[in-house]
Amino acid sequence: MDSDGTQDARRAQANPVPRPAGPPEPPAVPPRPSVPPRPDGSAFLTWLRTPRPEAAPGVWRFGYRPRPDEEPEVIPGRQLISGALIAFLVGWLIWSLLQNGYLGTWWWIPFDLIVPDSWRGGDSRIGQVGNVVVYQGYQVLVALAIMVAAGRLGRWGEVWRRFVAPRFRRPRPRQTAPAPADDPAAWNQLRAAGAVEAAERLARDARAGLMRDVDHARIARAWQGVRSGRHSLASFTSAVLKDGAAACLHPSGERDLPARLARHDLVTGQVRLGTTADDARNPYAYRGTGLALGPDLLGTSLLAVGPAGSGKTGTVVRPLAESLCLQALAGRAAVVVVGAAGAMLGPADAYDVVVRIGNPESVHDLDLYGGTTDPDEVAAILAEALVGDLADPHPGSDSRRSTTVLAQLLGPFRAVHGRFPSVPELRGLLDGAPGPMGELRTALQQAGQDSLLRELDARERQTGRPGDVSGVLADRVALLDRPAFAGFFDTSGQSRPFSLKALDHPVRVRIDLPERGHADASRMLARLVLAQFTASVAVREDRSLFACLILDDATGVVTPEAVRGIQRLRSAHAGAVLTLRTLDDVPRPLRGPLLGATGCRVALSGLTPWDGQDFAEVWGKEWTEARDVTDRQIIAETPAGKAVHMLRRVITGKAPTARAVTVRQVERERWSASELAHAVPPGHAVLSLTNVKGEHAPPLLVDLRD
């Protein structure tokens, strides 16, 4: 959609370069004022009124025309034309034989039954005329019968539809204006509820070109709030009458993104990723249709695997992030995008909060404790971030001991200071240094916290014993206690930390991780954000807002607890998007559970056979019909037979054969590991989809460049 001028003004230069001094120029004659073009909303109305029929999961519904489930039998053009010509010649031959009497006179029996006896051989003029008329009419009737039979045998109708009719067909104008009762631009649901004036104002703005797709989606979302009782009808009506299409704005005041790279349809919430290839391995109903994703599919989470340069960020992550940012502006989603600094995840103006960890120019900070005040919850999340990748993916791991160690320190510290410790303070407590531990004990004794003193005593007794994980935790915290992160993770209230507790609101967040020189710290922070996200969305009061976390690189992030958290996202109206260069970045025991926890799986081109084997196993097998065809050439022994065979060779281009066909049902892999590794063209991907209702699409070969 075109901008309304606010974004253009933002790009204007504040201090233009001054021109050199010179003699004053004569005043130019001002141009005659031209009449500004009248704004027109026809493009928006056409977009809004385009049909969006129900379709299978993943189908781009904008202007979609359903196709049959099975592919119709298509006769080759050469065979079709030759068959039609032969049928015509056979019909002409039969008619000639009938006319010349070579086939007898039996076909005149119906004529004898029709003509009265008084007309035969009579001299009356009426009898002669009637006899001629009936005679000619009977001949025409017989000719038509022969023509119809020849046309059916020669498929003349198919020849007309495929080769003749397209040359005379004129493009019919698309019927974009539905009946008034179904016109989405008329806002009939508002009229039915009594908000007639608000509906009229919105309809006028739409016709005048003042409404965009984001405006329509945002106001429709606000109307849903009125119907659910979250907002009053009076406040909604007054806002619409005052601001029109600009009513119910996002807190940022933005009505669109600075730029769009993908095709979006905010009526259905879909973003188009590509086109399903016209390939025999794809179901016929999907071939040639657009492939799109929306919250109904992202609610089951998505995993994309492909090597560097296969298009994970540009063709999958960037369009999804853009779509969710648009839906956040419409008040329907909250999105958190996590990636390396410098990744192509959209401009900073497309987000409300941009956290650049390790960059001193960052306006916002990241809350290390996720805005939670419960020490036990914080200890579990922090343990997952610090040592989740070191834990054994089987029961009896060190995660519980790490959670216990952190809880023994975080609880007493918060009780004394009213906040959680900073990174240097937490590192000192985990090291068991006498100074920090002694100060904490003294403060607890002065406050009379006897129960928390027992927690501290237990921690001191366990320090240094075999199996104590405090040293490992201290080493991991030391990765964040670096000069590059000195101004981050502040707990004193001097910074502007972002907390994932804000996912109750339609917020757009981008977190840049400092992968260069701090790879281990970046992976640890990614695990922290994922753990905080899964914990925060589970306790939201308003789950009508779709929440999504996008991890541009999930290397080192997948842990047993992360897999369990992803499985719980569907019930919380949330989802996660993870990308990996290879499944080898995931521990072997977790690859199957990870593929099972995500409903949408994407295998991009360039996959290794080992990764392809994992995808082939999770996609399973299907029963297919295998045909074994055996052709045996027929040898003609008579001259007539040889002539017939020669004619058949001219028509079909093949020698006459006797074909034996054996049909049997076999079970084969939908996509084998070899096909995924070697048969996926560049710029393509094979993906399977599952929506929150349980409907699924089989693995589809998709061209991500279209």
Side-chain angles (χ1 to χ4, degrees):
M1 305 299 288
D2 296 334
S3 64
D4 57 357
T6 58
Q7 299 166 358
D8 298 335
R10 185 181 304 169
R11 300 189 185 96
Q13 296 182 2
N15 299 315
V17 179
R19 296 183 179 274
E25 299 179 358
V29 178
R32 299 183 61 181
S34 60
V35 179
R38 184 177 181 180
D40 184 11
S42 59
F44 170 77
L45 293 177
T46 301
W47 169 83
L48 185 60
R49 291 166 174 165
T50 300
R52 296 168 174 86
E54 294 294 332
V59 173
W60 174 251
R61 292 171 52 190
F62 181 80
Y64 170 67
R65 295 182 179 180
R67 303 181 65 184
D69 295 335
E70 299 293 337
E71 182 177 5
E73 182 181 0
V74 179
I75 302 174
R78 179 179 177 181
Q79 180 180 350
L80 185 64
I81 295 177
S82 61
L85 180 60
I86 291 176
F88 171 76
L89 295 176
V90 170
W92 183 35
L93 177 61
I94 293 175
W95 173 251
S96 300
L97 294 175
L98 289 176
Q99 287 289 93
N100 295 325
Y102 291 107
L103 298 181
T105 60
W106 58 267
W107 64 288
W108 285 104
I109 295 176
F111 175 78
D112 295 336
L113 296 177
I114 296 174
V115 176
D117 295 337
S118 60
W119 290 6
R120 301 175 184 174
D123 296 333
S124 65
R125 185 174 182 83
I126 296 177
Q128 293 178 358
V129 173
N131 192 15
V132 171
V133 171
V134 176
Y135 177 79
Q136 296 293 340
Y138 180 72
Q139 283 190 323
V140 171
L141 184 63
V142 173
L144 288 176
I146 295 175
M147 184 182 299
V148 170
R152 292 180 64 88
L153 293 176
R155 297 184 177 92
W156 292 357
E158 183 68 18
V159 173
W160 173 269
R161 287 189 296 269
R162 287 176 58 177
F163 301 104
V164 182
R167 300 180 179 273
F168 299 97
R169 187 179 303 162
R170 295 182 179 179
R172 293 183 298 177
R174 180 180 294 179
Q175 301 294 331
T176 58
D182 300 330
D183 189 357
W187 297 91
N188 293 317
Q189 64 273 27
L190 274 67
R191 301 177 190 273
V196 179
E197 296 181 355
E200 291 291 344
R201 173 64 189 275
L202 295 176
R204 287 197 305 270
D205 285 2
R207 291 192 299 268
L210 302 177
M211 183 175 289
R212 311 175 182 182
D213 54 353
V214 179
D215 298 331
H216 181 272
R218 185 185 65 250
I219 295 174
R221 165 71 178 177
W223 176 248
Q224 291 179 358
V226 173
R227 297 184 60 183
S228 63
R230 294 195 307 268
H231 311 296
S232 65
L233 178 61
S235 61
F236 173 81
T237 303
S238 62
V240 171
L241 292 178
K242 177 183 177 183
D243 300 322
C248 310
L249 278 180
H250 185 265
S252 65
E254 299 291 339
R255 298 172 60 185
D256 204 347
L257 296 180
R260 299 190 190 184
L261 297 181
R263 295 179 58 185
H264 304 273
D265 183 22
L266 291 180
V267 174
T268 59
Q270 291 183 315
V271 55
R272 183 181 175 120
L273 296 186
T275 302
T276 307
D278 189 6
D279 189 271
R281 289 167 290 194
N282 289 335
Y284 180 73
Y286 277 93
R287 296 178 194 173
T289 63
L291 193 285
L293 299 180
D296 59 331
L297 293 170
L298 295 180
T300 62
S301 298
L302 181 145
L303 174 66
V305 181
S310 59
K312 297 187 299 296
T313 302
T315 60
V316 178
V317 173
R318 176 68 183 273
L320 292 178
E322 191 175 273
S323 173
L324 291 169
C325 286
L326 287 172
Q327 295 189 51
L329 291 178
R332 302 192 303 198
V335 57
V336 179
V337 182
V338 182
M344 303 301 293
L345 300 176
D349 293 344
Y351 296 91
D352 304 313
V353 177
V354 179
V355 182
R356 298 183 174 94
I357 300 177
N359 189 340
E361 298 180 358
S362 178
V363 177
H364 293 86
D365 191 4
L366 180 64
D367 191 341
L368 191 64
Y369 302 101
T372 305
T373 58
D374 184 3
D376 295 330
E377 182 181 353
V378 169
I381 295 176
L382 202 55
E384 169 67 13
L386 295 177
V387 296
D389 59 329
L390 301 179
D392 186 2
H394 299 286
S397 63
D398 292 338
S399 297
R400 296 180 181 177
R401 286 183 289 176
S402 301
T403 302
T404 302
V405 170
L406 290 170
Q408 290 173 340
L409 296 174
L410 296 177
F413 191 94
R414 179 171 177 79
V416 172
H417 299 281
R419 59 176 179 85
F420 289 115
S422 62
V423 171
E425 292 171 335
L426 180 59
R427 180 183 181 185
L429 292 174
L430 290 172
D431 282 333
M437 295 293 287
E439 295 176 0
L440 182 57
R441 174 177 294 277
T442 301
L444 288 173
Q445 292 174 348
Q446 294 176 355
Q449 298 284 351
D450 296 335
S451 61
L452 295 178
L453 275 173
R454 289 192 294 270
E455 292 283 339
L456 198 60
D457 293 338
R459 173 86 296 273
E460 291 180 343
R461 288 194 302 268
Q462 296 170 1
T463 301
R465 291 187 177 183
D468 183 29
V469 296
S470 60
V472 178
L473 292 172
D475 292 341
R476 286 303 181 95
V477 173
L479 295 175
L480 302 180
D481 190 16
R482 307 297 300 167
F485 308 134
F488 289 85
F489 318 118
D490 180 59
T491 60
S492 62
Q494 302 299 322
S495 63
R496 299 177 59 184
F498 167 75
S499 170
L500 269 75
K501 291 293 183 182
L503 295 179
D504 284 330
H505 309 283
V507 64
R508 303 167 296 166
V509 183
R510 194 185 78 189
I511 301 177
D512 294 343
L513 301 177
E515 286 194 351
R516 181 175 299 178
H518 302 279
D520 292 336
S522 296
R523 287 192 288 268
M524 189 168 61
L525 291 173
R527 288 194 301 271
L528 175 66
V529 174
L530 177 58
Q532 291 182 356
F533 178 82
T534 55
S536 299
V537 297
V539 297
R540 291 186 302 166
E541 296 181 0
D542 182 13
R543 295 190 178 182
S544 64
L545 196 71
F546 179 71
C548 188
L549 172 67
I550 299 179
L551 282 173
D552 187 38
D553 186 5
T555 302
V557 177
V558 180
T559 65
E561 185 59 34
V563 173
R564 287 189 288 268
I566 292 174
Q567 291 174 339
R568 296 190 294 265
L569 291 179
R570 183 185 303 189
S571 60
H573 196 204
V577 177
L578 311 177
T579 67
L580 291 169
R581 294 184 180 90
T582 173
L583 287 175
D584 289 338
D585 294 334
V586 179
R588 167 55 68 180
L590 293 179
R591 296 179 191 176
L594 176 62
L595 290 170
T598 53
C600 303
R601 312 173 189 99
V602 183
L604 289 97
S605 61
L607 213 65
T608 64
W610 299 273
D611 290 344
Q613 183 62 38
D614 292 325
F615 277 99
E617 290 179 359
V618 75
W619 282 332
K621 300 180 180 181
E622 63 178 349
W623 288 99
T624 60
E625 192 177 78
R627 289 173 169 261
D628 296 332
V629 181
T630 303
D631 288 338
R632 180 179 60 84
Q633 185 174 357
I634 302 176
I635 306 299
E637 298 180 356
T638 63
K642 293 181 180 180
V644 172
H645 286 188
M646 183 179 298
L647 179 63
R648 183 174 177 181
R649 182 189 293 271
V650 171
I651 295 174
T652 63
K654 299 180 180 178
T657 58
R659 174 173 296 182
V661 180
T662 303
V663 181
R664 54 194 176 91
Q665 295 288 330
V666 296
E667 192 177 19
R668 294 179 179 175
E669 292 179 328
R670 299 177 185 271
W671 278 82
S672 66
S674 178
E675 289 176 331
L676 290 172
H678 306 293
V680 180
H684 289 64
V686 179
L687 69 162
S688 63
L689 305 173
T690 304
N691 61 16
V692 293
K693 296 180 181 179
E695 302 171 342
H696 62 87
L700 305 171
L701 179 63
V702 178
D703 186 357
L704 300 177
R705 301 168 300 182
D706 187 3

